[in-house]
């Protein structure tokens, strides 16, 4: 469970690199929301909540947060897999300034 989030991020980047359709990002975001919602709920149960906090709205917020992060990683994978991606990897490794 500790490294599952990183694995899902890596999966999103690899999907972008290989050109998998963008709806796959929605599936990964839904999966990560379902995985992390239970851990988040346990954490929120132990802390005092505001009286107007809604768990459903918190789940929607978590889903869109995961979707935003995974889409950014997906786009990074698309960019690295493009013809100009070699320039990006050279810049990141310091071969080209």
């Amino acid at each position: 469970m500790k490294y599952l989030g990183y694995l899902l991020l890596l999966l999103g980047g690899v999907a972008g690199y290989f050109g998998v359709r963008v709806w796959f990002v929605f599936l990964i975001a839904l999966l990560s929301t379902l995985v992390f919602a239970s851990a988040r709920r346990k954490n929120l149960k132990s802390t005092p909540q505001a009286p107007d906090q809604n768990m459903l709205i918190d789940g929607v917020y978590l889903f869109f947060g995961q979707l935003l992060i995974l889409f950014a990683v997906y786009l990074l994978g698309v960019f690295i897999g493009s013809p100009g991606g070699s320039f990006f990897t050279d810049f990141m490794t310091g071969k080209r300034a």
Side-chain angles (χ1 to χ4, degrees):
M1 179 75 174
K2 184 177 178 181
Y3 298 107
L4 186 61
Y6 298 118
L7 181 67
L8 290 172
L9 285 173
L10 182 66
L11 185 63
V14 168
Y17 180 77
F18 287 117
V20 178
R21 301 275 181 183
V22 75
W23 60 265
F24 189 69
V25 176
F26 286 93
L27 291 177
I28 298 171
L30 183 64
L31 176 68
S32 67
T33 301
L34 293 175
V35 167
F36 293 122
S38 62
R40 186 175 171 106
R41 184 168 184 254
K42 287 177 189 175
N43 190 19
L44 285 177
K45 273 186 161 184
S46 64
T47 60
Q49 295 181 2
D52 60 345
Q53 188 172 9
N54 187 348
M55 293 303 286
L56 182 64
I57 299 298
D58 189 56
V60 171
Y61 176 76
L62 180 63
F63 171 72
F64 281 111
Q66 294 289 334
L67 185 63
L68 180 68
I69 293 167
L70 284 166
F71 189 68
V73 172
Y74 176 82
L75 286 179
L76 186 64
V78 168
F79 180 69
I80 291 173
S82 71
S86 62
F87 294 120
F88 178 73
T89 54
D90 286 345
F91 175 73
M92 291 302 289
T93 57
K95 291 181 182 175
R96 204 174 271 199

